[in-house]
Amino acid sequence: MTNDINFDDILDEFTMEEPLNHTVLKSYIDKYPSLALELTDLYHELAMTDARNDVESVQLETKHLASATALGRTGVEAALAGDELRSLARKVGLPRDFFAGFRDRKVRLGSIPEPVVTGLARELGVAVHALVDFLRSQPRTNTGFAFKADGKPNEGVVLEYDEFLDSLALTDQEENALDRFCQVDGHS
């Protein structure tokens, strides 16, 4: 019975953390490795609940939405290519691979926290709905590379956002830059 109370207390304490982010999740998993699965499931459930609430509160402007989305998608593609991508990474203080992962749609859209989506839209100078439309679309296949390959190009593995961050092995300085990237007017 004591374990049940401790288990519930730990999960309750976890849900009360502010801000509830990847770093907090990692610290709880480090403290309570036997609860890693439960903590991760709870974290994702809370993140999805927050995302659903945020989506419901966002009002999209529908006038000329189709043309604005097309322009936004083109703007996103341009901002996440070549020199623009490098200068964005330098400006924000995050590795190019962070932004290239979104460009290449290597991160499952539903797992991306809302502050990351809004931060990315803000830095790219596009509307959130245009960025979401871009992230939902299939990446373009560069046929020049397809002909040079031994076989057909295959779709890359799509990762959950947390797995994607772990694969980048961000430094402390880059994690601080990511926290700043996710903040709007000093609030995440």
Side-chain angles (χ1 to χ4, degrees), residues 4 14 21 24 29 41 43 64 112 118 128 143 163 166-167 177:
D4 290 339
F14 178 70
N21 56 28
V24 172
I29 290 173
D41 286 346
Y43 174 78
H64 308 296
I112 305 170
T118 56
V128 172
T143 55
E163 294 171 323
D166 290 342
S167 74

Side-chain angles (χ1 to χ4, degrees), residues 13-52:
E13 180 183 318
F14 178 70
T15 59
M16 301 305 287
E17 288 288 338
E18 283 293 326
L20 185 57
N21 56 28
H22 179 71
T23 307
V24 172
L25 173 63
K26 187 170 177 2
S27 71
Y28 270 79
I29 290 173
D30 290 344
K31 277 197 268 187
Y32 310 105
S34 64
L35 300 177
L37 183 60
E38 290 83 359
L39 288 166
T40 303
D41 286 346
L42 180 58
Y43 174 78
H44 287 292
E45 184 61 33
L46 292 170
M48 288 307 296
T49 300
D50 287 345
R52 280 186 216 111

Side-chain angles (χ1 to χ4, degrees), residues 3-172:
N3 288 340
D4 290 339
I5 294 171
N6 289 336
F7 173 78
D8 290 338
D9 289 344
I10 292 166
L11 293 180
D12 287 343
E13 180 183 318
F14 178 70
T15 59
M16 301 305 287
E17 288 288 338
E18 283 293 326
L20 185 57
N21 56 28
H22 179 71
T23 307
V24 172
L25 173 63
K26 187 170 177 2
S27 71
Y28 270 79
I29 290 173
D30 290 344
K31 277 197 268 187
Y32 310 105
S34 64
L35 300 177
L37 183 60
E38 290 83 359
L39 288 166
T40 303
D41 286 346
L42 180 58
Y43 174 78
H44 287 292
E45 184 61 33
L46 292 170
M48 288 307 296
T49 300
D50 287 345
R52 280 186 216 111
N53 290 339
D54 290 340
V55 166
E56 289 171 5
S57 68
V58 172
Q59 294 183 357
L60 298 178
E61 181 179 317
T62 58
K63 185 178 181 183
H64 308 296
L65 184 61
S67 62
T69 300
L71 291 173
R73 187 182 298 174
T74 304
V76 172
E77 288 174 351
L80 292 176
D83 291 336
E84 296 295 322
L85 177 96
R86 281 189 284 282
S87 65
L88 174 64
R90 233 178 284 125
K91 173 185 168 194
V92 174
L94 290 168
R96 286 183 284 174
D97 288 345
F98 177 80
F99 298 105
F102 295 110
R103 177 197 63 206
D104 300 338
R105 280 59 144 222
K106 293 189 185 262
V107 184
R108 188 177 67 81
L109 177 59
S111 70
I112 305 170
E114 184 268 336
V116 174
V117 174
T118 56
L120 185 56
R122 180 184 64 244
E123 290 299 327
L124 296 175
V126 298
V128 172
H129 72 273
L131 176 62
V132 169
D133 182 60
F134 172 82
L135 293 172
R136 275 193 191 126
S137 67
Q138 293 295 319
R140 293 184 186 177
T141 303
N142 188 334
T143 55
F145 291 120
F147 290 124
K148 292 180 182 178
D150 291 335
K152 289 185 177 181
N154 58 358
E155 291 185 28
V157 175
V158 177
L159 302 172
E160 296 293 312
Y161 178 77
D162 292 337
E163 294 171 323
F164 173 66
L165 272 187
D166 290 342
S167 74
L168 295 175
L170 298 178
T171 65
D172 289 340

